[in-house]
Every structure is written in C-alpha cells, then in structure tokens.
Amino acid sequence: MRTQSTVDRRNLLKLAGGSLAALGLTAAGCGTGSGSGDGTVTIRYAWWGSDDRAKRINRTIALFEKKYPKIKVKTDFQPYADFWKKFNTQASGGNAPDVFQNAIGFLRKYDAKNVLLDLREQAEQGNLRLTGFRAGLETFGEVDGKLLGVPVGSNSMALVVDRTVFGKAGVNPKAGWTWDEYHAALATIRDTQGRAGDAGPYGIMYLYDLYLRQHGKAFFTTSGLGFTEADLTDWWTKAFQGVTSGIYADPKRTIQAKPKSAVTAELAACEFTWDNFTVRYASEGKSRYGLAPIPTTDGRKTGQYLGSLMLSGSRRTKHPEEVAQFIDFMVHDPEVGKIMGYDRGVPATTAQYEAYVPDDEVGKQIAAYEKQLVETRVLEPITPHPAGADVTEAAFLRLGEEMSLGTRPVAEAVKRFFTEAKTALSS
C-alpha cells in the first residue's frame, strides 16, 4: 500500500544492509531525540519519497513548529530503497528516528524487533486523537492490540488506463466486470491498437492478494502464506501465456523504459497500481489517463481494502509526548491536508479530506474512485502482514519478472518463491 511515484518497484524493494560506518552513524543505544536548557526538544522525522513530497512536508513542519515553538523537527528523506537501508541500520543500532513514515508490511517486522512505539498510551493521555478518521482507518495501524502506526492517507488498488487507447478500442470497463472480460479487452486492444493491453500484473503482490481474496484465500495469514504452490503455478502459467500472446507487454521493453511506466512509455494500455499513483501518469505521459475497476471472479467481490501510509514512533524516543503531538498535527490539521493533497493518498481524516478538494481531473477521479468503493461497500478488512512480508514481496516481484522473461521456468520460479518466503517468514 505505497505512494512512491516514479521509482520502479523492483529497485524500491532491494532492501540491502549497510554498515554504520558507511552511513556515518554511531550505534547510539540511548534513545533518540534531544533537548535543550530552555525546554526546547528536537525530534527526528524521516520519510521516503520524491523532492516534491519533501517540499510539501517541509511546509507542514514549518506550520507545526509555529504552533509548537518548543518542538523542533530535524528532517531526513530518501528514495524508498535508500530509506529502508538506512532505517535498518539505525534501528539495529538503537537509533531509529523519533517519528517516521511507515507501511503495513513493516509493522510486525519492526514490532518483533522492539523498534515501534505503542501509541495507545499517548492516545489515552490526550496527546493523539483517534477520532475523525474516514472509513475505519483509525484501526489500520493496530497489531495485536498495540497501536503501531497512524494513517496519513488512504489508497486502494485500481487499474490505471490510457483512456485514449481504451476509447479507440471501444473498451469501457465497468464495475463488476470479470477477469474473462478483462482478458478479452486486452486482446481487443492488442488486435486493434497495436499495443499490449496490460503492462503485466503477475509480479504485483497486492493484486494477487485481491485475486486470492476473491477466491476465499489471501496472500498472507498472520503467520505465513495463505495460498499453495498450485495456486501460484496457475497464476504464473496464465501470466506467461499472456506475455507470449502479446496481451501483456514485452517485459524486456518494459524494463528498458524505466523509470517510465509501460503505460506512459506507450507499451501497454493499462496497468494495476494504487489509485493515487495516477498523478504520476498525468505528469509523465502524453495521453489522458483514468481509473478502472478491479476485475472480479463472480461480478461482485473485488477483495479490495483501503491501504495507507502511516506515521510511527520509535520505542526508544526520549520524547513520546512530542512525537504523539506531531503525529496528531500531521493527520488532523486542515492546512496540512491542503498542502499535502493526495501525495500520500486521500487524506485519512475527515478534517483534511474536507479541507482539500481537488480541482484537477486526476484528483477528482481518485476522490470519486475511493468514494465509490466506500459507498458500494466492497471494502473488506486488510490482509494481515506477518514479519518478513517485505522480503517476501521482493521475492515475488523478482521471480515474477524472471518468469516473464523466460529466464526461469514457471515451476522453478514457484518452488524458489516458496523456499524464499518460508525463510523470510520464519526468520
């Protein structure tokens, strides 16, 4: 559930280790944050994202420091992979940032490592409001009764389409369309527009999760995988057939086009991603882009849920109260909502959602898409993510790509995935 715009997911998920010396850090085990003689404290805030996100966040920090003059915020931002590389090193040394951007796939992992602050006590003390959230998002960061993260925005999987190509091909996806109809539409686009129908959905863990949920399963349980080797063999066999038939884009050309997407590079007419990523396509491509519904198995159940980026605190912070106040401000203040817009998803709280009303076509589409999901009651609880989910997702993406390129047969890719996932989820 992630809003990292222009960097491709393969590179994003190469979570490598690093040494403290290489990063110019020391293994400080005495907690984070600092204070001064006049009562002013400094907290460290880290996030991943683009330069544009950094500019927006810095504007919100200026507002926070104006309201809380005794709290100073030291910032650090990185691209996604670099963020987690640095964070892993800091967390291992007991020096994690006081507050940081987080995602569902990392909650159990870092909770098991005693890195995350349980924010429940701060909420009970009145330093963090858990009211005013949209669509039940206030529970999104709860794990085993602990509050390990607070949402800043929401998003859901969608199909981003090149509206011009779809229009010329006479394809008009509607809610409840089936996977058979989706594949038929891709073939029509291939045959009439000289372009692959889809970029290739076979390595997108979150999409496969929805497909499994439509069949009464899920990608993850609380402790492991929720599907079998036979399930994945079926998924990847059909995917490879899609590549060879041309309804999915040539993976070699897709890789060569990066950091552009296959859609904006005009190699495919659509691809599955998070709804708020649509902003990327509008700024990157030359066509008109929009959102289409997730295909279904039975015409009704989509398996969808609202995902979210969130803010978490360090268990070793010296300033839990100030961390809670900072998080509260960032998720509730209307001016913050206006500044951030849909950069991290549709604002999670009603106050920020109402404060920012998009006036651009893409923003309006994102808002309408999520409103439709809520009103039609298709949303379900999110699938649990056990510790090791991030490494498992990386393996799924990498092996799916190798399968699509033909460098690893389907049967071998499946076996390898289950081996790597077992190791990641049991470590």
Side-chain angles (χ1 to χ4, degrees):
M1 322 150 295
R2 303 175 178 140
T3 58
Q4 309 81 298
S5 305
T6 58
V7 186
D8 66 274
R9 292 288 294 163
R10 169 85 183 256
N11 288 330
L12 296 183
L13 287 161
K14 291 179 179 175
L15 302 180
S19 69
L20 291 169
L23 291 172
L25 299 171
T26 58
C30 57
T32 66
S34 61
S36 65
D38 65 355
T40 299
V41 302
T42 299
I43 60 174
R44 294 158 51 217
Y45 174 33
W47 69 90
W48 67 81
S50 65
D51 288 340
D52 179 65
R53 176 177 293 174
K55 291 176 182 177
R56 292 172 186 265
I57 288 179
N58 284 330
R59 289 172 60 193
T60 68
I61 289 172
L63 290 178
F64 173 78
E65 291 182 334
K66 184 177 180 179
K67 181 175 180 179
Y68 294 92
K70 292 293 186 179
I71 306 175
K72 302 302 179 185
V73 182
K74 184 178 180 180
T75 64
D76 183 22
F77 84 98
Q78 310 281 341
Y80 184 84
D82 293 338
F83 173 90
W84 287 112
K85 177 180 178 181
K86 185 172 183 177
F87 184 86
N88 287 336
T89 302
Q90 292 173 322
S92 296
N95 192 37
D98 296 274
V99 60
F100 51 93
Q101 191 169 282
N102 206 350
I104 190 70
F106 299 94
L107 293 183
R108 289 185 184 275
K109 174 179 180 175
Y110 287 108
D111 181 44
K113 295 177 182 292
N114 295 317
V115 173
L116 302 181
L117 175 68
D118 184 354
L119 292 161
R120 183 78 62 193
E121 181 179 348
Q122 293 301 319
E124 292 172 352
Q125 291 179 2
N127 297 318
L128 175 61
R129 289 168 289 172
L130 298 180
T131 57
F133 284 83
R134 299 172 40 248
L137 285 168
E138 66 275 7
T139 64
F140 188 78
E142 292 183 356
V143 173
D144 300 330
K146 291 175 285 188
L147 182 62
L148 302 179
V150 180
V152 294
S154 68
N155 54 16
S156 190
M157 288 297 297
L159 183 65
V160 175
V161 304
D162 185 320
R163 296 170 66 185
T164 301
V165 174
F166 267 62
K168 289 181 178 179
V171 176
N172 183 28
K174 295 183 179 180
W177 70 325
T178 65
W179 287 101
D180 287 341
E181 291 171 330
Y182 155 77
H183 286 112
L186 302 188
T188 297
I189 291 169
R190 176 200 61 194
D191 296 342
T192 64
Q193 305 303 307
R195 185 184 301 189
D198 193 293
Y202 35 79
I204 306 173
M205 183 194 80
Y206 289 96
L207 177 68
Y208 187 44
D209 183 34
L210 300 192
Y211 181 81
L212 290 167
R213 289 157 66 98
Q214 291 177 14
H215 291 80
K217 299 184 178 184
F219 197 100
F220 289 121
T221 66
T222 56
S223 59
L225 297 176
F227 60 100
T228 66
E229 290 189 19
D231 293 326
L232 184 55
T233 298
D234 179 66
W235 177 255
W236 274 348
T237 297
K238 291 176 180 177
F240 189 71
Q241 293 170 350
V243 172
T244 56
S245 71
I247 63 171
Y248 296 154
D250 180 345
K252 293 180 181 178
R253 296 183 66 193
T254 298
I255 293 170
Q256 291 170 352
K258 292 176 180 177
K260 272 196 167 186
S261 75
V263 173
T264 56
E266 300 183 356
L267 301 176
C270 67
E271 63 183 1
F272 292 95
T273 188
W274 298 104
D275 55 16
N276 63 305
F277 279 19
T278 315
V279 176
R280 163 191 178 178
Y281 298 83
S283 61
E284 190 177 273
K286 300 177 182 178
S287 190
R288 295 171 59 246
Y289 307 99
L291 295 169
I294 296 292
T296 68
T297 299
D298 61 3
R300 297 183 299 276
K301 184 179 176 67
T302 68
Q304 284 175 276
Y305 47 80
L306 289 183
S308 177
L309 287 180
M310 63 188 78
L311 296 180
S312 293
S314 167
R315 187 173 181 178
R316 305 191 75 162
T317 182
K318 295 178 180 178
H319 308 293
E321 179 178 330
E322 287 81 4
V323 164
Q325 290 172 332
F326 178 80
I327 293 175
D328 182 88
F329 182 85
M330 289 300 172
V331 300
H332 287 285
D333 187 82
E335 290 302 314
V336 171
K338 292 178 183 179
I339 292 170
M340 296 306 303
Y342 288 175
D343 177 80
R344 297 177 298 188
V346 177
T349 58
T350 301
Q352 292 190 350
Y353 178 79
E354 293 178 348
Y356 176 74
V357 179
D359 56 8
D360 62 294
E361 182 181 0
V362 173
K364 291 178 180 178
Q365 287 188 56
I366 295 169
Y369 182 77
E370 290 207 9
K371 182 179 180 182
Q372 182 265 337
L373 293 179
V374 173
E375 291 180 347
T376 55
R377 301 182 182 276
V378 301
L379 295 172
E380 304 173 7
I382 192 169
T383 306
H385 284 59
D390 55 327
V391 178
T392 303
E393 180 184 0
F396 189 78
L397 180 66
R398 170 173 46 81
L399 291 166
E401 183 177 273
E402 292 176 4
M403 175 279 302
S404 71
L405 290 166
T407 58
R408 195 183 291 270
V410 169
E412 183 181 322
V414 171
K415 290 288 185 184
R416 183 66 184 174
F417 170 75
F418 272 79
T419 297
E420 293 190 24
K422 182 178 179 180
T423 299
L425 297 172
S426 62
S427 60

